Amino acid sequence: CPMYIGEIAPSNVRGMLVSWNQFAIIFGQLVVYFVNFLIMGSHANPIYDAAGAIANMVDAQWTIETGWRYMFGSEMVPAGLFTFLICFVPETPRYLVMVGQDDKAFGILSKINGSEKAREIIHDIKNTVTVKTEKLFSYGFMCIFVGVMLSVFQQAVGINAVLYFAPRIFESMGMGNPMVQTVFMGIVNILFTLLAVFTVEKWAPSARMIAGLRYLKASSNASPTKSAISCTEAGANAINR
């Protein structure tokens, strides 16, 4: 989806639209947390003892046997709606120009940018449509390193584990109803995503990236992660200079 937005959106709002795509993902997670909370209702969440066995099997029987099925089935509604709406999404103008369908590309660009700007964009696409082959490190080792490490950190910081196992994590911390805590976590995600949406076109990307890396370094307790974050921060600083 970000790649599609990058190809079809006007350059002056491209960054914001990509951020709104992230907002849609985070908002969807919040809706899931809230829906799961409503499905659970007054039913008990399973509690595991030190041996990994369910300690409250009787109280959590509905959740174990039935509740998860409702949670899983609730995904069919947004998934079906997304599948239906995606059928009406046009191809990107760049792809249409590459396959010789300039008229379709012009029609799509005209709706977004106006006729005059659409002609300029099509002309630019035709001038850059040739395929370029470069060596892996032709743009510099540091650029490749920073790009790869940013992708690594999306997984290494552990956010996926927190999102997937949030109820179990909050339960092990003794924080009351874990489903309520996941809703609060979703709200925090929404707030910080909105911060990114409204600052993406105002703050320099490298500055935001370096600030985020410094926060990760300060909040991480794992020394290997700290070292990797420090290396990536140094690389980002070097590229910024």
Side-chain angles (χ1 to χ4, degrees), residues 104-118:
K104 287 186 177 181
F106 179 77
I108 295 171
L109 288 170
S110 297
K111 293 178 181 178
I112 301 173
N113 302 277
S115 300
E116 184 176 349
K117 186 66 176 178

Side-chain angles (χ1 to χ4, degrees), residues 22 35 56 58-59 67 71 80 92 100 119 121 173 215 217 219 223 226 228:
Q22 181 64 25
V35 169
N56 60 337
V58 176
D59 295 335
M71 296 179 186
T92 63
R119 293 189 182 92
I121 296 175
M173 296 170 63
Y215 173 77
K217 184 172 66 175
S219 61
S223 56
K226 278 185 178 180

Side-chain angles (χ1 to χ4, degrees), residues 223-240:
S223 56
T225 306
K226 278 185 178 180
S227 300
I229 291 173
S230 299
C231 291
T232 305
E233 181 186 351
N237 278 309
I239 292 175
N240 190 40

Side-chain angles (χ1 to χ4, degrees), residues 111-228:
K111 293 178 181 178
I112 301 173
N113 302 277
S115 300
E116 184 176 349
K117 186 66 176 178
R119 293 189 182 92
E120 295 180 10
I121 296 175
I122 289 180
H123 181 265
D124 293 338
I125 291 174
K126 289 184 176 181
N127 289 336
T128 59
V129 78
T130 55
V131 178
K132 295 176 64 179
T133 57
E134 301 285 351
K135 294 182 179 180
L136 178 60
F137 297 110
S138 59
Y139 295 101
F141 171 79
M142 193 58 68
C143 291
I144 302 296
F145 175 77
V146 171
V148 171
M149 293 307 296
L150 285 175
S151 298
V152 169
F153 285 134
Q154 290 181 348
Q155 311 301 320
V157 295
I159 185 60
N160 286 339
V162 173
L163 294 176
Y164 297 154
F165 301 103
R168 184 78 60 82
I169 294 172
F170 289 127
E171 182 182 72
S172 65
M173 296 170 63
M175 299 183 66
N177 189 337
M179 302 306 292
V180 175
Q181 304 302 326
T182 58
V183 173
F184 288 149
M185 183 180 69
I187 293 173
V188 172
N189 281 341
I190 285 288
L191 293 177
F192 279 92
T193 304
L194 285 174
L195 175 65
V197 168
F198 293 113
T199 59
V200 67
E201 300 290 349
K202 299 177 181 179
W203 296 353
S206 58
R208 287 185 285 111
M209 180 177 65
I210 293 171
L213 289 171
R214 287 176 177 171
Y215 173 77
L216 288 176
K217 184 172 66 175
S219 61
S220 174
N221 292 321
S223 56
T225 306
K226 278 185 178 180
S227 300

Side-chain angles (χ1 to χ4, degrees), residues 6 27 30 82 86 130 184 189 197 241:
F27 182 76
L30 175 61
F82 180 82
I86 201 70
T130 55
F184 288 149
N189 281 341
V197 168
R241 289 195 294 266

Side-chain angles (χ1 to χ4, degrees), residues 53-102:
I54 299 176
N56 60 337
M57 177 64 76
V58 176
D59 295 335
Q61 185 173 1
W62 183 88
T63 304
I64 298 170
E65 296 181 355
T66 306
W68 72 269
R69 302 178 191 273
Y70 285 109
M71 296 179 186
F72 190 77
S74 64
E75 299 177 12
M76 293 190 296
V77 177
L81 182 62
F82 180 82
T83 303
F84 173 74
L85 293 177
I86 201 70
C87 297
F88 300 95
V89 174
E91 295 287 354
T92 63
R94 183 175 183 84
Y95 168 78
L96 293 174
V97 171
M98 291 176 65
V99 297
Q101 299 183 23
D102 293 11

